[in-house]
Amino acid sequence: MFLKEIIETWTNPVQFIEGIEISKNDKLKIVEAGRFAPSAGNQQVFRFLLIDNENSNKIIIQSIEARDPRLASTLKQIKKPNLRNNFVYSIENFNAKTDKYKVYIYEHHFDDINCAKSASFFIICTHKNTITGKMFGHTDMGAAITNMILMAYDLGYHCRWIRIFDREFIRERFNIPLSIFIDAILVVGKVKENVEITEYKAKDVNDFYFYNQWDENLTIKDWQSENIEFNNYDIEVVDAIVDRRSIRSFNENKSIPRSIILELLKAGMIIPLTINHPYLKIIVVEDRSFLNQIAKHSKIVLKQSHVGEVPLIIVITYDCSNNSPGFYSETDSGSIIQSILLRAHTLGIGSCWIGAFNRKVVRKILKIPEDWHIPSMAIFGYPNNYPKPTPRVDLGKVCYYNSWKNHIKKRKRTLLPDYFALSIWFRKFRNTQVTTLLRKRKVGIVKGIPEFEQFL
Ligand SMILES: Cc1cc2nc3c(=O)[nH]c(=O)nc-3n(C[C@H](O)[C@H](O)[C@H](O)COP(=O)(O)O)c2cc1C
């Protein structure tokens, strides 16, 4: 399936058809898409626990019914974001009593339970609490979740992303060590065909994004008028997941057409649960002077000269004024960015996730309020090169089966090649119908992406 098709047709499931068996191979393909997600410093801190036996299923349903005990907290003292939690907003200090977002958080909890009860299998999404994991693990996991949702849809299934559940109950029952953070549960199943689920319709692009600075409205009315033929660019979503890579050298003289930016913004809104809440806001920065200021002043330890070469930066923020949705939003933001990065790749746009930057400076330049945390930004432009792909660890290392540390067997030959390097090899054959041993399915006739292909 093309990503564009998914953007237009994917809906959040509210109920699955009961008793549907999904083959183990398909289950692993979905998890595997997760492991191809980008991660800060390529640390790949994510660990997935695949659950498909009856007893364990019951534990998961129980944990979802028990909700998230953290949401019952009435802690009085709320810390403001400060330099010490420059990267991730602290999740401990949180006051649910005064939470203005509570209504949004619980809005669809019934659907969570319904889906869990009728699901075919579950993926418990966790990450290691290493130094990088603490700073970026939640965001990394968001990216992995996007990949898994898309992959499942490509295979004919639906995923529901569950945030509200009793994490400590899950930890205890599945023996998950304290050095692991439990992010989310993905509930996977098959939905009845042609179900219109209107309450999850995404909000309007104009309402979700700010333009150039905080509180500046985006008006996309005129953006569609530029008639750019980009439909031909679409590559299959599985190719996008495997082929995407961080670009760190951009053509400084080439700006991105507005109609393409609009496609990116729509991609950021694929998953309605992440975007239908008022606590997330994204700023689309195109103004040259702001771009220059960000590039010049927001560096921290890393050089990051690529930030200065791009015509577009997307900055993601979430409200932590009373800290309540903070521990969900970090992951939401990763998911949104990954959707945009994938769409960018399919349109010939190079991109790079930026997590290491001075948030104080960016806050000042873009006039982001003190209470809004800035988990990440992403940069976009036409590539100057197409670097070698970054390797990923084996699926056997990041995926456990039914109990913690029960590694699935090493899988060398799977739907996706083990290393990105092989995807370069694929590109050479993409216009011919070849069935490969590596990918046990036909590689359809996919038009290449000239922007990247020129460097191969
Ligand atoms: C949360 C997060 C933060 C990141 N921060 C930076 C960054 O500050 N600078 C940078 O050049 N790349 C950054 N990256 C990109 C990763 O280094 C890159 O995704 C990883 O090395 C894997 O390579 P790939 O994206 O080419 O697959 C970040 C990625 C993530 C997910």
Side-chain angles (χ1 to χ4, degrees):
M1 260 184 132
F2 292 163
L3 192 53
K4 191 175 170 61
E5 268 176 271
I6 299 186
I7 292 169
E8 281 160 11
T9 59
W10 192 86
T11 45
N12 206 32
V14 288
Q15 171 101 43
F16 296 117
I17 308 171
E18 278 181 45
I20 295 282
E21 283 284 326
I22 297 181
S23 72
K24 189 165 175 198
N25 210 36
D26 275 359
K27 288 173 188 161
L28 291 178
K29 281 176 193 168
I30 296 170
V31 180
E32 187 155 38
R35 113 188 136 103
F36 274 87
S39 60
N42 201 24
Q43 292 286 307
Q44 302 167 68
V45 287
F46 17 66
R47 294 291 176 269
F48 307 99
L49 174 55
L50 209 153
I51 300 286
D52 66 357
N53 77 34
E54 217 174 289
N55 279 347
S56 307
N57 292 359
K58 279 188 198 142
I59 295 173
I60 294 194
I61 294 166
Q62 250 178 298
S63 80
I64 296 170
E65 282 174 336
R67 297 187 170 190
D68 185 342
R70 294 178 301 177
L71 291 169
S73 158
T74 52
L75 214 77
K76 286 209 180 71
Q77 251 194 337
I78 302 155
K79 279 192 214 150
K80 294 274 176 233
N82 58 35
L83 257 184
R84 276 175 68 211
N85 48 35
N86 196 10
F87 287 101
V88 174
Y89 195 70
S90 161
I91 57 164
E92 276 87 36
N93 40 0
F94 142 76
N95 184 338
K97 219 172 179 185
T98 56
D99 178 12
K100 57 185 175 210
Y101 298 119
K102 209 169 189 169
V103 55
Y104 297 101
I105 290 175
Y106 282 128
E107 212 179 359
H108 300 297
H109 190 238
F110 262 138
D111 299 336
D112 288 356
I113 298 169
N114 281 343
C115 279
K117 284 184 173 162
S118 51
S120 302
F121 76 100
F122 303 89
I123 303 167
I124 302 181
C125 305
T126 74
H127 70 260
K128 290 201 292 181
N129 264 338
T130 55
I131 295 174
T132 325
K134 276 194 181 120
M135 291 194 289
F136 296 113
H138 305 264
T139 336
D140 290 355
M141 183 49 80
I145 289 176
T146 291
N147 278 9
M148 290 190 280
I149 289 177
L150 297 177
M151 188 71 221
Y153 194 57
D154 194 43
L155 292 169
Y157 311 112
H158 265 76
C159 287
R160 189 176 171 94
W161 170 356
I162 298 199
R163 304 160 170 78
I164 303 169
F165 60 97
D166 188 340
R167 285 161 176 76
E168 292 319 307
F169 182 69
I170 291 278
R171 184 188 301 288
E172 189 197 310
R173 300 315 274 287
F174 292 106
N175 289 327
I176 301 177
L178 284 169
S179 56
I180 296 288
F181 187 90
I182 304 169
D183 289 287
I185 298 177
L186 275 194
V187 177
V188 192
K190 213 172 173 64
V191 296
K192 287 196 192 110
E193 270 167 46
N194 305 324
V195 192
E196 259 275 338
I197 311 159
T198 41
E199 67 266 34
Y200 287 119
K201 271 245 157 69
K203 68 165 90 151
D204 197 80
V205 178
N206 296 297
D207 296 336
F208 190 47
Y209 296 95
F210 286 140
Y211 188 56
N212 283 326
Q213 255 187 337
W214 188 262
D215 260 348
E216 294 295 326
N217 285 339
L218 174 81
T219 32
I220 55 158
K221 265 204 315 285
D222 316 322
W223 287 25
Q224 278 123 326
S225 58
E226 285 174 50
N227 211 359
I228 305 269
E229 194 44 72
F230 49 72
N231 284 343
N232 293 343
Y233 276 75
D234 263 313
I235 61 170
E236 288 207 20
V237 68
V238 53
D239 289 323
I241 288 173
V242 177
D243 275 352
R244 183 218 54 83
R245 64 204 64 181
S246 298
I247 304 290
R248 295 192 178 85
S249 173
F250 297 90
N251 182 342
E252 290 180 55
N253 304 319
K254 203 168 167 196
S255 60
I256 304 175
R258 285 269 172 77
S259 48
I260 288 190
I261 299 181
L262 188 56
E263 287 296 301
L264 303 186
L265 303 189
K266 283 187 200 154
M269 303 174 73
I270 299 180
I271 296 160
L273 275 189
T274 63
I275 58 117
N276 270 338
H277 300 317
Y279 53 73
L280 271 156
K281 273 283 176 192
I282 303 185
I283 311 176
V284 183
V285 187
E286 248 200 319
D287 184 293
R288 196 19 76 196
S289 99
F290 292 141
L291 292 174
N292 288 346
Q293 285 180 54
I294 292 176
K296 202 164 161 211
H297 302 295
S298 74
K299 276 175 227 154
I300 48 170
V301 265
L302 302 174
K303 205 163 151 240
Q304 311 267 40
S305 55
H306 43 301
V307 180
E309 299 167 1
V310 292
L312 175 71
I313 300 184
I314 292 183
V315 180
I316 193 154
T317 69
Y318 64 80
D319 187 357
C320 41
S321 52
N322 64 2
N323 204 11
S324 78
F327 44 74
Y328 302 137
S329 310
E330 201 70 37
T331 318
D332 293 353
S333 64
S335 163
I336 291 167
I337 292 194
Q338 175 66 356
S339 314
I340 304 179
L341 298 191
L342 287 176
R343 185 69 179 121
H345 185 79
T346 65
L347 292 165
I349 309 285
S351 64
C352 187
W353 200 309
I354 303 293
F357 62 94
N358 187 327
R359 280 143 179 88
K360 269 193 169 172
V361 170
V362 172
R363 182 186 305 287
K364 208 166 154 200
I365 298 169
L366 303 182
K367 298 209 170 102
I368 299 169
E370 274 296 315
D371 284 342
W372 286 68
H373 182 56
I374 316 168
S376 301
M377 43 187 208
I379 57 174
F380 301 87
Y382 282 95
N384 251 351
N385 63 18
Y386 194 50
K388 280 227 167 71
T390 347
R392 295 294 190 265
V393 292
D394 192 272
L395 179 64
K397 196 171 170 201
V398 293
C399 182
Y400 308 135
Y401 187 51
N402 277 329
S403 67
W404 196 254
K405 287 287 175 191
N406 177 24
H407 294 262
I408 60 141
K409 287 205 189 86
K410 260 188 146 207
R411 280 165 58 93
K412 279 280 179 234
R413 285 184 181 159
T414 51
L415 172 95
L416 305 168
D418 253 310
Y419 288 102
F420 270 112
L422 292 169
S423 71
I424 291 181
W425 182 80
F426 267 129
R427 282 181 169 276
K428 303 228 181 281
F429 297 98
R430 72 179 340 148
N431 288 329
T432 57
Q433 291 262 350
V434 277
T435 313
T436 68
L437 270 175
L438 281 164
R439 228 196 292 200
K440 292 181 199 128
R441 70 184 183 102
K442 275 196 172 156
V443 179
I445 299 173
V446 184
K447 285 201 176 143
I449 304 173
E451 282 78 3
F452 296 118
E453 226 151 54
Q454 59 178 312
F455 302 112
L456 292 178

